[in-house]
């Protein structure tokens, strides 16, 4: 089946630093999404990408949909303590009845004050 | 309706008992997804439902698991004769349209099987 790969499993950065996270797939997706999950909560959508090559920003977050449609990255600039959490990438192959999302295993981000 | 509401938030069951997890979608949303998250794993798709219809159940285990989304009331994920391996967080998400990719997730129901 389809798999999304995120590594490393954990990242540790200093407050104020930038961080970049990558997500790769063995197969093509037509929509890429980035979610953040806080402890004990459900995932919250950060950014959605709909076109190959698309670069989208949301505040301090920037994400890109890879040209090959097999990868995406998320960049967080000037990190702050509340950026701590688990970041998941997710891909959707198509809309309609077969529209389920495939998630990566997530990257746990720790921010040292 | 502040968002997708799931209950119970925490459920403890002994092996062999039944677990029922409920999900009320956002107001106006008629599409519901269920996902399962094992410790240190991503979310795995289970089932996609519209009111009174199962659209895609390709992620549901063949036995013991069932889901419904009746015309009135919440969506229910039912696990019969639970086993320890069923311990996980179960998340519900809802969307406005068929096959939308912008899903709103609930806070999850955490099932522990003793």
């Amino acid at each position: 089946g389809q798999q999304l790969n995120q590594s490393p499993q954990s990242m540790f950065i200093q407050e104020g630093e930038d961080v970049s996270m990558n997500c790769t797939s063995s197969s093509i997706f037509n929509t890429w999404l980035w979610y953040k999950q806080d402890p004990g909560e459900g995932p919250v959508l950060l950014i959605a990408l709909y076109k190959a090559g698309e670069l989208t920003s949301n505040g301090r977050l920037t994400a890109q949909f890879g040209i090959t449609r097999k990868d995406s990255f998320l960049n967080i600039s000037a990190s702050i303590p509340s950026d701590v959490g688990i970041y998941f990438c997710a891909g959707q192959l198509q809309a309609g009845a077969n529209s389920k999302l495939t998630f990566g295993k997530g990257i746990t981000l720790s921010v040292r004050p | 309706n502040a968002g997708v509401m799931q209950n119970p938030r925490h459920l403890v069951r002994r092996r062999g008992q039944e677990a029922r997890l409920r999900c009320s979608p956002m107001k106006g949303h008629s599409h519901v997804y269920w996902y399962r998250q094992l410790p240190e794993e991503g979310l795995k798709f289970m089932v996609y439902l519209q009111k009174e219809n199962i659209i895609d159940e390709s992620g549901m285990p063949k036995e013991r698991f069932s889901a419904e989304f009746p015309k009135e009331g919440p969506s229910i994920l039912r696990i019969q004769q639970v086993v320890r391996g069923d311990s996980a967080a179960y998340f519900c998400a809802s969307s406005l349209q068929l096959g939308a990719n912008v899903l709103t997730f609930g806070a999850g129901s955490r099932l522990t099987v003793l």
Side-chain angles (χ1 to χ4, degrees):
Chain A
Q2 295 166 319
Q3 276 189 316
L4 292 183
N5 302 304
Q6 291 185 262
S7 67
Q9 196 173 357
S10 304
M11 298 180 82
F12 299 85
I13 60 172
Q14 200 75 34
E15 184 177 355
E17 287 182 340
D18 299 348
V19 63
S20 192
M21 303 177 191
N22 210 37
C23 182
T24 60
S25 169
S26 55
S27 53
I28 286 170
F29 286 99
N30 290 314
T31 300
W32 284 84
L33 306 122
W34 284 91
Y35 284 86
K36 183 186 179 219
Q37 185 179 29
D38 290 327
E41 298 295 328
V44 173
L45 181 66
L46 297 174
I47 290 183
L49 301 153
Y50 300 104
K51 231 164 51 167
E54 179 182 354
L55 184 73
T56 296
S57 291
N58 178 9
R60 293 179 296 107
L61 308 178
T62 302
Q64 184 155 32
F65 188 149
I67 288 288
T68 64
R69 292 190 284 156
K70 290 185 178 181
D71 65 313
S72 175
F73 78 75
L74 174 72
N75 206 67
I76 305 173
S77 62
S79 58
I80 59 178
S82 62
D83 290 334
V84 163
I86 306 174
Y87 290 80
F88 291 99
C89 61
Q92 184 187 49
L93 184 58
Q94 62 189 72
N98 189 21
S99 58
K100 57 182 176 280
L101 299 182
T102 300
F103 281 82
K105 289 191 176 184
I107 293 176
T108 300
L109 179 66
S110 299
V111 179
R112 289 188 290 261
Chain B
N1 186 349
V4 177
M5 305 301 290
Q6 290 189 248
N7 68 83
R9 289 294 308 274
H10 300 275
L11 182 63
V12 179
R13 285 286 179 265
R14 297 194 180 278
R15 278 178 296 170
Q17 290 184 319
E18 179 180 287
R20 279 189 185 228
L21 309 176
R22 287 176 291 277
C23 169
S24 296
M26 282 187 73
K27 189 175 180 181
H29 286 192
S30 58
H31 299 267
V32 162
Y33 297 77
W34 285 93
Y35 285 79
R36 175 164 63 175
Q37 185 179 32
L38 295 170
E40 298 185 3
E41 294 282 328
L43 281 75
K44 295 274 195 267
F45 169 78
M46 299 182 76
V47 63
Y48 171 24
L49 308 120
Q50 197 179 5
K51 290 263 185 194
E52 299 184 283
N53 264 328
I54 295 176
I55 306 293
D56 180 357
E57 56 181 346
S58 58
M60 286 282 267
K62 295 279 184 274
E63 296 173 348
R64 302 188 297 108
F65 284 71
S66 62
E68 62 174 4
F69 189 16
K71 191 176 177 183
E72 302 289 338
S75 175
I76 308 276
L77 179 68
R78 184 181 176 209
I79 312 171
Q80 294 177 287
Q81 298 174 324
V82 296
V83 301
R84 288 223 172 102
D86 296 333
S87 296
Y90 291 84
F91 290 96
C92 170
S94 72
S95 70
L96 188 58
Q97 297 170 322
L98 176 70
N101 46 47
V102 180
L103 302 183
T104 302
F105 281 87
S109 292
R110 278 148 187 85
L111 172 65
T112 302
V113 180
L114 302 177

